[in-house]
Amino acid sequence: MRVTTQPIAGQKPGTSGLRKKTNVFMSEGYLENFIQSIFDATGGANGKTYILGGDGRYFNQHAAQTILKMAAANGAKRVIVGQNALLSTPAASHLIRLNAADGGIILSASHNPGGPEEDFGVKFNTANGGPAPEAVTEAIFARTQAIDEYFIADEIDVNLSRIGSQHIGGMAVSVVDPVSDYAALMETLFDFAAIRAMFAGGFRMRFDAMCAVTGPYAKEIFETRLGAAPGTVVNAVPLPDFGGMHPDPNPTWAHDLMGHMFAADGPDFGAASDGDGDRNMVVGRNTYVAPSDSFAVLAANAHLAPGYRAGLKGVARSMPTSTAVDRVAEALGIGAHETPTGWKFFGNLLDTGRATFCGEESFGAGSDHVREKDGLWAVLLWLNILAEREESVSEIMRAHWSRFGRTYYSRHDYEALPNAVADGVMDSLRSRLGDLPEQTVEGMKVASAEDFAYTDPVDGSVSRGQGLRIVFEGGARAVLRLSGTGTEGATIRLYLERHATGPDGLDAEVQEMLAPVIRAAEALTGIREVTGRAGPDVIT
Ligand code: VG1
Ligand code: CO
């Protein structure tokens, strides 16, 4: 069936897909226009195979049914869909690669809350399993501005709870178990026997799935396959509103887990994941592990896991992510790449073997086993390292810092600002960048100041305006950028970093250690005065 439509403003994908309030996505033609634009901008769906699934949030199943009917009407050959339309983002990436599919559609607004009053999102991944690169998202956006028709099969819904094959017209719909292929992949990378032995020896873990998509994956992998005690995985059932939680694994939103990890007789190890399962937070008993540090530790110890025994070819991190991993790369004698924020920039580095591990300060890490960041992968690699080293998380962190020094790091978020105010802060600093080198602000001398641009070493594409970076003498850094995942106003992220070596600097309180950098960054940006905020809304 052909339906006449008109362009809808604002369908521009951000850092990771298109995210809007759920009621916007549910409004007439909104989802349909965007999906048809994906097909149109990528050479049509005719004869193609897609992977489809989402994080289980409100509108997930309904949207999946619409997309299936649209794929059928556009001539797709086959859609492989997770049971009940569930797939974590890394599992979807794996299924694209495993089935040599042409692409995948993931229904998620990731770490944003879900529900009728909250957020919904759509991500499109290409045949390598990774998020569509900028050239593709720009073509999709261009199509949304010119679209005048979409196609949808006039058929009844398929039964997404029944595993097996069905049809919509001439298109095959394969409903698959969302967990099994992914769990099998994990078994090829990690020493499950060693981890199982560690659990059998009394090792205790708490994994908080935050009522989002990782629950079924974590239950199967940790409790069933690895023998962790029943109840290790909490909040394990995906709910349309995530049980009212904000499924963003950081100390603020995963405060319940933090409470358990810092209680007397807490578990040995704790972890949490986000809405769509691509993020991870790792906590030891009485020990919070900052994501940039976690990534550096994973890179330094990767060889302890069977999948990475041969060593890493290289590492990559987003520019705002701390430089901790660079020191590991130097020690290992491997390349270290610096990209803009967002996993789409890692795809070419992974595809061409320039990087084996990639990481972001926003609780994201992953490897070339898929083309997305992968929360459970990071947790399993930690478990494998713990099983091999037979040390606690806190001992491993101390050993890492005494070898490489400690990179104190924090991100200050100023959320939901009026767009004009946020743009004002950015524009003002941007216009002064040229004058900053050699200036001393709050006792900190600026060494360099730039508007970060990235040239992809593989396809030569250039991405500009990827964050304002100020480096102080001695290597401390402040980075300012606008979030590209929010749905209300603008969020400014201020990233702060300072490296310390030697035994003295290793046990300082993070915000205290960063205080001079924070003072200089706040003076340079005037962020508190201009936004009228007394301080950041969220500190991670
Ligand atoms: C945020 C993070 C970024 C991450 C992105 C998608 O983007 O900072 O590192 O890749 O979310 O993660 P932004 O533009 O808001 O800073 V997910 O787990 O929300 O898909
Ligand atoms: Co996510």
Side-chain angles (χ1 to χ4, degrees):
M1 182 169 86
R2 174 181 177 277
V3 180
T4 311
T5 188
Q6 298 175 13
I8 300 172
Q11 295 198 322
K12 189 176 172 56
T15 311
S16 175
L18 180 67
R19 297 184 193 185
K20 296 287 169 194
K21 288 285 164 207
T22 307
N23 60 20
V24 173
F25 257 107
M26 292 175 74
S27 62
E28 199 188 331
Y30 197 93
L31 175 70
E32 291 83 350
N33 271 17
F34 190 65
I35 298 298
Q36 186 67 48
S37 297
I38 292 175
F39 293 149
D40 291 352
T42 54
N46 200 29
K48 289 186 177 167
T49 297
Y50 294 102
I51 305 300
L52 174 65
D55 62 14
R57 70 180 62 220
Y58 187 82
F59 192 51
N60 186 66
Q61 293 240 13
H62 190 97
Q65 296 285 0
T66 300
I67 293 167
L68 286 169
K69 288 171 201 168
M70 289 187 67
N74 278 277
K77 186 170 110 196
R78 183 181 179 208
V79 176
I80 301 167
V81 55
Q83 186 181 28
N84 298 320
L86 289 180
L87 280 179
S88 76
T89 289
S93 181
H94 177 51
L95 286 181
I96 294 172
R97 298 166 65 77
L98 188 67
N99 295 282
D102 297 284
I105 296 173
I106 303 167
L107 307 171
S108 174
S110 191
H111 59 286
N112 301 18
E117 309 299 325
E118 301 291 352
D119 292 354
F120 192 78
V122 174
K123 312 198 239 190
F124 177 66
N125 285 27
T126 50
N128 74 342
E134 277 193 327
V136 176
T137 56
E138 274 160 26
I140 294 169
F141 178 52
R143 182 62 195 151
T144 66
Q145 295 173 298
I147 191 166
D148 58 2
E149 59 178 8
Y150 66 81
F151 297 90
I152 185 159
D154 194 7
E155 302 262 354
I156 56 163
D157 286 358
V158 298
N159 182 350
L160 287 174
S161 66
R162 198 180 77 218
I163 288 180
S165 286
Q166 300 169 55
H167 279 88
I168 302 181
M171 184 184 85
V173 178
S174 312
V175 179
V176 299
D177 171 20
V179 176
S180 55
D181 285 324
Y182 176 83
L185 174 66
M186 293 300 113
E187 295 218 30
T188 68
L189 298 173
F190 302 113
D191 189 344
F192 270 46
I195 303 172
R196 204 179 297 121
M198 181 170 73
F199 279 118
F203 182 87
R204 287 186 301 134
M205 164 172 169
R206 183 179 178 91
F207 181 89
D208 194 334
M210 301 186 89
C211 300
V213 80
T214 47
Y217 294 85
K219 276 246 166 218
E220 170 66 21
I221 293 171
F222 300 131
E223 296 187 12
T224 305
R225 299 198 186 199
L226 291 170
T232 293
V233 181
V234 298
N235 296 317
V237 178
L239 298 174
D241 65 349
F242 304 128
M245 282 185 220
H246 190 154
D248 194 352
N250 62 44
T252 303
W253 297 117
H255 49 83
D256 180 69
L257 175 65
M258 295 299 284
H260 281 92
M261 297 309 299
F262 282 78
D265 196 33
D268 299 288
F269 185 67
S273 197
D274 71 332
D276 63 331
D278 55 0
R279 296 186 179 203
N280 75 91
M281 179 177 80
V282 159
V283 201
R285 184 187 295 131
N286 292 316
T287 309
Y288 168 66
V289 184
S292 296
D293 273 348
S294 174
F295 181 50
V297 168
L298 294 181
N301 292 278
H303 59 280
L304 299 177
Y308 306 101
R309 211 63 98 199
L312 307 180
K313 294 175 193 151
V315 293
R317 61 165 174 82
S318 67
M319 183 274 279
T321 300
S322 99
T323 52
V325 76
D326 298 16
R327 297 182 183 90
V328 174
E330 206 187 336
L332 294 174
I334 58 174
H337 301 265
E338 187 176 52
T339 63
T341 295
W343 216 260
K344 56 177 169 257
F345 295 104
F346 294 134
N348 283 342
L349 300 175
L350 292 164
D351 283 348
T352 56
R354 284 171 165 80
T356 309
F357 277 16
C358 301
E360 292 192 291
E361 53 67 40
S362 53
F363 301 84
S367 90
D368 59 1
H369 68 291
V370 290
R371 292 294 179 274
E372 289 277 5
K373 55 189 187 277
D374 188 343
L376 290 173
W377 170 89
V379 174
L380 284 164
L381 181 49
W382 260 103
L383 288 172
N384 202 147
I385 292 166
L386 290 164
E388 284 292 324
R389 289 185 53 149
E390 299 180 333
E391 291 169 287
S392 69
V393 172
S394 110
E395 285 164 344
I396 288 175
M397 293 317 298
R398 291 202 65 78
H400 187 90
W401 292 331
S402 23
R403 178 169 171 206
F404 296 100
R406 181 168 175 187
T407 313
Y408 287 86
Y409 185 86
S410 182
R411 185 175 104 186
H412 290 191
D413 290 335
Y414 292 76
E415 296 188 330
L417 299 166
N419 285 301
V421 171
D423 288 342
V425 173
M426 296 297 294
D427 294 345
S428 157
L429 181 63
R430 191 179 297 108
S431 69
R432 285 177 284 128
L433 288 174
D435 303 330
L436 294 183
E438 303 295 315
Q439 278 190 32
T440 298
V441 190
E442 295 283 323
M444 303 278 295
K445 188 164 177 194
V446 177
S448 69
E450 60 165 336
D451 190 350
F452 181 64
Y454 177 67
T455 303
D456 186 293
V458 179
D459 63 22
S461 60
V462 179
S463 304
R464 296 181 206 284
Q466 297 296 327
L468 308 178
R469 170 168 62 183
I470 294 163
V471 182
F472 299 97
E473 258 182 15
R477 304 193 311 165
V479 173
L480 203 69
R481 65 177 277 282
L482 292 177
S483 158
T485 56
T487 59
E488 261 178 70
T491 291
I492 294 181
R493 306 203 192 285
L494 173 58
Y495 309 82
L496 305 142
E497 169 176 348
R498 183 180 172 196
H499 187 69
T501 47
D504 296 345
L506 300 190
D507 281 320
E509 204 280 319
V510 177
Q511 302 300 322
E512 274 170 28
M513 192 67 176
L514 289 171
V517 193
I518 297 172
R519 273 197 302 274
E522 290 185 350
L524 279 168
T525 57
I527 193 163
R528 293 189 191 225
E529 300 78 65
V530 180
T531 62
R533 300 272 169 94
D537 299 282
V538 177
I539 295 181
T540 49

